Structure formats: structure tokens, C-alpha cells
Amino acid sequence: QRRNAEVSINWNSLFLRSDSVAGAMAKRLGVSKSKLLDPSSADLASRLALAETSIIQETKDYLQEHGVDLDVLGRHQAGGIQRSRTSILVKNLPASTTEAEVRQMFEDHGPLLRVLLPPSGVVALVEFTDAPDAKKAFRALAYTPFKHAPLFLEWLPEAVFSCAPDAVRAKKKKTDSKSAIEASVGTAAAEELLEETAESASNTLYIKNLNFDTTEEKLREVFSAYGQLRSVRIARKSDPKRAGAKVSMGFGFVEFAKHDEAVKAIKTAQHALVDDHRIQVKFSDKKVEVAAPSKRKDTTFPSKPTSTKLLVKNLAFEATRKDLMALFGPFGSIKSVRIPKKFDRTSRGFGFVEYRSLKDAKSALENLRHTHLYGRHLVLEYAARDKTVDELRAQAKQQLDAA
């Protein structure tokens, strides 16, 4: 089982056990878990699902703030995704877990670059300095008991971190420092004073004006002359002419292991000729990373809502119309809820929730996409729009004319 953990992915990245959700919410509300899980409550399943949704959103906000690419994390099960050899996703943690406990557990196997533990404390991201140490920790800790639950470990995608850990710390430090300096010298002066500090905190370089034919291998060859590289990535987008293909966007990122090596590269490689293009090099910053594909919009769902009605698939057979009303109600005004039945009056395993506005339907789909109801992951999508009376009449007329 431990050996299969290194090559298999048997759960989604943001799955939370009901026990962990209940523990986290009980701790936040200052009540006992038994009181929160009142068996006499008629809407217990929907309340747990909403609690899970809230914790997932809080977790996503925390991870994004700390330099995690949610788009890459969300697509971790797709084929062709290169896995990191130094970064591990740690799941199934009890709600009371602290960062110090996670750090101590993994530091026994080697030095760490970063440990990210969202406020709920039920999932963590751990990055090692060296791949051999990470592999040793993975093999030693996968499925081992921690407190009262086994640890679920998984290798993260290689490009899941959009910036180096020191850049995240520098951003927070810069924000705090800027507020203090602005009070005494003004906004413009504060920006000027902190610009140099922000640059010196990053080991990641932003490379632009790349030839569209330049590859990661070529970029690695050029910059490895200045020191040890941690990662090389060229930003890519979908090729409109070839389905499934990717094309370069003309810029990329190179992350060094040491800051002085990054400084050397930025001074020496500036305007160097790479594949007949004079490249431009500078320290990566927040604005650059927002523009990079690591921050592109999630393409799992349409960018614009196509219907006010949602199709809810993988619905537990014990789920009722009341459960769906309680779960979807907080996201807008509901027009109707329907769960199709078989001849024996049992559920067919899917349902429909229709809102009064496209905005409410979009909000529900985006917020509940990782939610579980009665232990089953809800699969949501926009349902086909119902035809109007005029459209049905036109269709009937066409069929008569064709006959």
C-alpha cells in the first residue's frame, strides 16, 4: 500500500473527511463535536457539507496567498502532469494539528524549504530541499498513524508553487514594512525604499522575449552555468490550431537554489542571445506571476454561466430534496429542486437545482464543486436550458413540415 502511494492517486486534492470537518468547525465555534453532530438534527448532512465548503474556500484562499497555484493543484489528476520530487501533499490530518507538529514529523528525514498548513489544520503542503530526503520521508510516513488517523501522502505537481518560499515571506514583510514607512515618508518614498528589498528576497527570475521555439531544456542549459537550478518553466497556452497542443507565450521562470546565484545570472545573462532572441531578465514579482499561466482561469467550467439550472450528479441515494434545498439555498434564490425517481420511488442518483439568476447558479457551482454530501463527491455542471413554448411550437412545426 505504501509503495502504491507513490504512483497512485486515489483521492482528490481537497477532499476532507467528515470527522476532520466536524472537528475543525467545532473548534472554531467553541463547542464539542458531539454537540455539533446532533443525530436528532434533520439537516445534519447538508450542514456538514456547507461546513466543508467553507473550510475548502478558506484553505484555497490561504494556499493562494502563500504562492500555491490552485489551477495546477486542481488538475493534479490529469494525465501528463509532471510530479515534483520534493513537494508532498499531506492529508487526513486531525483538526487539532499544528504547523510545528507537521514540521517536526518531516524534518526528521531532512531539511525543509516550507510547510504550509491552512487554518483548518486538516491538510498540509511540505517541500523538502533535496529529493532523496523527500522520497525517504514519503516512504516512511505514508499511511502511518498520526494521532488517531493514517497519513495520506501524494506527490504534488511540479509547478504547484508559483514563487519561492522566501518570496512569500518577503511579500508579507514588505506589506508590513510599507505600512509603517508610508506613515512617515509617504507612499512614493515607501515604494522606492522597499523596491530593492523585495528584489533581494527572491531566487526566481522572470525571463521574457523568449523565442517561441525555445524549450525548458535550452533555458536550463543557459542558466545552469550560473548555479544550481530548482526549477525551469516556460509559460504555455492552448494552441488554437491543434487540439490538446500547447504553445509558448514567450516568457518563463527560472528558480535558483541560492540568491547570490540568481543575482549573478541577472547581471550576466541580461540581453543574452538565446535562439536568436535577446532575452530580458529580472526578479520575479507578484505582477509577473499574475500574468503567468499559473494564474489563468480554471477551465473546468465555462467562464460564463450557460443556465440557471444545475445538474447535480453522483448524488447519494439517501439525499432528499430538503438536503439539496439546505445545501444550495445559501448561494441564492432557488426556483425549484427536483430529484428524478425510479418506478419504485427510489432516487436515480442525480438531481436538478434551478436558481432565479445566472449569478446565483454560478456562485453555487463554483463554491460547491469540491463538496461531499453523505460521503459522495457532488459533480456539478450547468444543465441544458429548457425550451420555451415558442421554441417547442417551432420545433413541432418543423417536424410536421418535414413529414
Side-chain angles (χ1 to χ4, degrees), residues 164-177:
D166 47 9
V168 175
R169 290 190 293 267
K171 176 188 170 186
K172 187 178 187 307
K173 183 177 179 181
K174 177 179 176 181
T175 303
D176 296 340
S177 301

Side-chain angles (χ1 to χ4, degrees), residues 85-335:
R85 294 291 88 186
T86 58
S87 303
I88 300 172
L89 176 64
V90 187
K91 304 192 62 181
N92 208 39
L93 294 170
S96 57
T97 303
T98 65
E99 181 180 330
E101 290 174 327
V102 175
R103 186 175 292 277
Q104 180 180 0
M105 179 167 44
F106 282 88
E107 272 184 338
D108 289 342
H109 302 279
L112 306 178
L113 277 177
R114 72 179 110 196
V115 173
L116 298 182
L117 185 73
S120 60
V122 296
V123 63
L125 279 67
V126 177
E127 184 179 13
F128 280 84
T129 302
D130 300 312
D133 293 336
K135 187 173 184 178
K136 183 172 63 174
F138 195 107
R139 290 184 172 179
L141 296 175
Y143 297 109
T144 58
F146 175 68
K147 296 187 178 179
H148 59 272
L151 291 176
F152 294 162
L153 305 186
E154 173 182 348
W155 291 112
L156 285 163
E158 187 171 286
V160 73
F161 293 113
S162 59
C163 59
D166 47 9
V168 175
R169 290 190 293 267
K171 176 188 170 186
K172 187 178 187 307
K173 183 177 179 181
K174 177 179 176 181
T175 303
D176 296 340
S177 301
K178 183 179 175 184
S179 300
I181 296 174
E182 279 181 350
S184 58
V185 299
T187 303
E191 289 283 1
E192 186 176 348
L193 285 170
L194 290 169
E195 182 178 358
E196 186 175 341
T197 302
E199 287 187 347
S200 64
S202 177
N203 292 353
T204 305
L205 302 184
Y206 169 55
I207 321 296
K208 66 177 183 176
N209 198 36
L210 290 175
N211 189 315
F212 292 120
D213 294 327
T214 297
T215 63
E216 275 92 352
E217 290 73 18
K218 179 63 176 180
L219 213 55
R220 183 179 295 275
E221 178 187 334
V222 172
F223 283 90
S224 61
Y226 306 110
Q228 182 183 352
L229 303 181
R230 292 191 62 246
S231 66
V232 175
R233 181 168 62 89
I234 292 178
R236 300 185 184 278
K237 63 180 179 180
S238 298
D239 188 345
K241 298 180 181 179
R242 295 179 297 162
K246 300 283 186 180
V247 293
S248 169
M249 297 178 69
F251 65 91
F253 301 89
V254 174
E255 183 180 358
F256 283 87
K258 298 180 180 179
H259 175 67
D260 57 348
E261 295 171 343
V263 172
K264 179 182 177 182
I266 206 170
K267 291 179 179 178
T268 311
Q270 190 68 262
H271 304 303
L273 194 64
V274 178
D275 291 334
D276 299 323
H277 276 227
R278 294 286 180 187
I279 61 172
Q280 299 177 33
V281 186
K282 69 175 185 176
F283 281 103
S284 175
D285 56 31
K286 179 66 176 176
K287 291 182 180 179
V288 171
E289 289 164 2
V290 168
S294 63
K295 295 297 181 182
R296 63 183 177 272
K297 292 182 180 179
D298 192 340
T299 56
T300 307
F301 299 105
S303 57
K304 292 184 179 180
T306 57
S307 172
T308 57
K309 183 184 290 187
L310 299 180
L311 170 60
V312 185
K313 297 192 290 187
N314 200 37
L315 190 64
F317 294 119
E318 59 266 43
T320 64
R321 182 177 178 276
K322 185 176 180 180
D323 288 329
L324 292 186
M325 287 289 292
L327 179 59
F328 286 82
F331 301 98
S333 176
I334 293 178
K335 184 177 180 181

